[in-house]
Amino acid sequence: MSLRTRLLILVIAAMLVPASLVGLRFMQNRSSDINAALANLAATAGEIASDLDEKIQGTAQLHYGLARARDLDTRDKAACSAFLSEVREEYPQFTGILTIDPDGSLFCDSLRTNRTLDLRDRAYFKQALVSRGVVIEPVFGRLTGLSVLQIAYPVRSEAGALKLILLASFNLRKFAEFHHKRLLAEKDILLVDAKGTVLVAPSGGGWTEPVGGSIAGSELFRFAATPDRESFHEVTDREGRAHVWSVAARSPSTRDAGLYILVGRSKDGLVAAANRRLYEDMAILAVASLLLLAAVWILATVSVGRQVGRLAAMAKKLGRGDLGARIPPPHPGGELGGLMSLLNDTAESLQQQRVAIADLNQKLSQSQKMEAMGQLTGGVAHDFNNLLTVILGNAEHLADSLVGNKELHRIAGDIATAAERGSDLTQSLLAFARKQPLRPREIDIAGKVRDMEPLLRRTLGGHIECAFALEANAWLTSVDPGQLTTALLNLVLNARDALPDGGKLTVEVRNASLGETDVDVNGEPRPGDYVMVAVTDTGSGMTAEVASRAFEPFFTTKEVGKGTGLGLSMVYGFVRQSGGLVQMQSEPGHGSVVRLFFPRLATPPTEDPSPRERIAAPDGSETILLVEDDDMVRAYVVNELKTLGYRVIEAPNGPAALDLLRQPGDIHLLFTDVVMPGGMFGPELARQAAQLRPGLKVLFTSGYTQNPVKAPDGLGDARILTKPFRRHDLAAMLRSALSAPPR
């Protein structure tokens, strides 16, 4: 049993009695708070109903006044509409005020639509024909489509003959929004008619039935429509969240209109005050626990300190790139021992891979070396990035857990730094292997270099003379601008290192047509039209042997610690991946020239990738199907997804995932590795999943892919999360994928 476990058991045992007292106090407060909140809920419903009655009575008074206005006693439709429009401006609670002829046709209205409407089918019109008082009916307005309370008044002559029907449409949604703001959005307001049609729906609280939908057969409507009902009723929504509802007592006005006013609140909100007091007690309990934990921790410092020192030494060696470092046994039990074993296994694996790469590098000839190492680095990147995903993720998790211990927190940070350096190494290898993701765009390389001129001059320093020869009518090419910038900086930095005492550097851009005799650094001819970018320096130059190995990864003539040997190899990989070629000439004492050739653009590119998204990454609650063949990576990602609040279903391969997709149950997103054993890769799994579940969102992840990832038809652009990744990167990509609009 680990020391942390022993400390936890000791603290729990010591705090059992105060924890029991806190629980007893919570239960006592909870009952009284619920009763008070329920009473407030009923009072709120009554206040809203009373306010609506006042609005109806006020509208009736308005009708009485308008019925005597001379401006309505006219057959001038335009003048009548203008008058009603002015009246409505004084009463914004109405969506419209209009008059209806005895035959049911619309005469004039405040909206001045000049629209012809036949309102004989409306219930309020039929009642107004035989009534002498105000008639009320909740409906959805034909002119506005909003839920309104139609308040009609028949205007009759002194002899009792019907002259017209005056109608005001009271905006129920605006009425509910006013009270929702007044209640500080703590309560939900629901208005339904006698048929169960939703007139105003709550704006939150998990309510799913839209305005215009029906809840006639629901438990909530039966509660509202029962004459001798209970005062309150609890309803559970589809997500399992409980809400408590109260119905306002029906006044004559709302009863005539067949309108039900319900006010609800989440059950959790009813006990918020009791929960707050519980948190206060828990804070006191936590302080006492920390004091006790500190006392016990002091006793364990001596035994823990030695293991911490071993971890720190190992982390520093890995950070310096010493893959031969090991933590010798014996290893302690618990998390520290597990971390030591994981670091040893990782270092062993990385060391074996480095030895394998070095051995192949010695055996292959110059022409075979570049392509063979490119294939090798792709495979290494997949397994390496899987290992780094687990290392980086667990180090991040460990750092979060050890915030209170500066030494352990720092160690965890060193581990994460070492893993990130490994990730940078992998990205460099992928650049050489021509497997890095590119975002090519139609650009003018000469213009791009012209924009970079100030940056390149600052990079070189004042002791080096810099000249630029840029062709005015250079052809367009399809190149990743960011990678082009990095490649030029690498070449300029190499040239600067070759000019320690000053000299001259020239950057040239011009059109070039190559023939069969023009070959690249591997002796391969690639005839065609290109845009050439040349960097020439008057530095010390290179021997033929050094020049023949200049583009090999990890080859460098610089002192240890002053270069990785990946700069020119990254340039080589980028140019080849862009469809171009590289040439180099160098002679000791006469400087060097490196020429990059990019293919001339025959037709505009079909895609112009959008900039990378930057979104907030809140936690989620959706269900995610995780497909990952590596057990360690899958276990780590499952834990991270659950930490972020998601519900996780996991599968080790594509066929198992399809079996899960055929079963009932909600699955909002497929999160799958690209490269998996068994013959079914991630894109094929996504294609079949889209057929089983149209609308399913997809997020890919990979440490390396042989080919670019393309999403199946109907899923939009492929979203891919590159391994290794941190928790916030995972959270951001998940929210981006889940928030994407349906295709």
Side-chain angles (χ1 to χ4, degrees), residues 625-627 649-664 667 670 672 676 678-693 696:
L625 173 57
L626 170 66
V627 187
I649 304 173
E650 57 183 292
N653 51 54
L658 291 176
D659 290 340
L660 292 173
L661 288 168
R662 294 187 183 100
Q663 299 176 12
I667 297 178
L670 172 65
T672 177
M676 295 184 292
M680 181 179 290
F681 281 11
E684 174 60 20
L685 170 61
R687 186 187 67 79
Q688 297 191 31
Q691 294 176 351
L692 291 173
R693 296 193 177 215
L696 178 68

Side-chain angles (χ1 to χ4, degrees), residues 50 84 109 120 130 183 186 300 345 406 452 486 498 509 560 656 706 727 730-731 736:
S50 177
L84 290 181
D109 70 273
R120 288 177 295 175
V130 297
L183 298 174
E186 292 181 351
D345 294 342
K406 294 183 178 179
M452 290 180 59
T486 302
V509 177
V560 176
Q706 181 70 23
R727 184 184 303 155
L730 173 62
S736 176

Side-chain angles (χ1 to χ4, degrees), residues 297 398-409:
W297 187 260
L398 189 61
D400 293 340
S401 302
L402 298 174
V403 173
N405 188 306
K406 294 183 178 179
E407 182 64 14
L408 289 178
H409 183 72

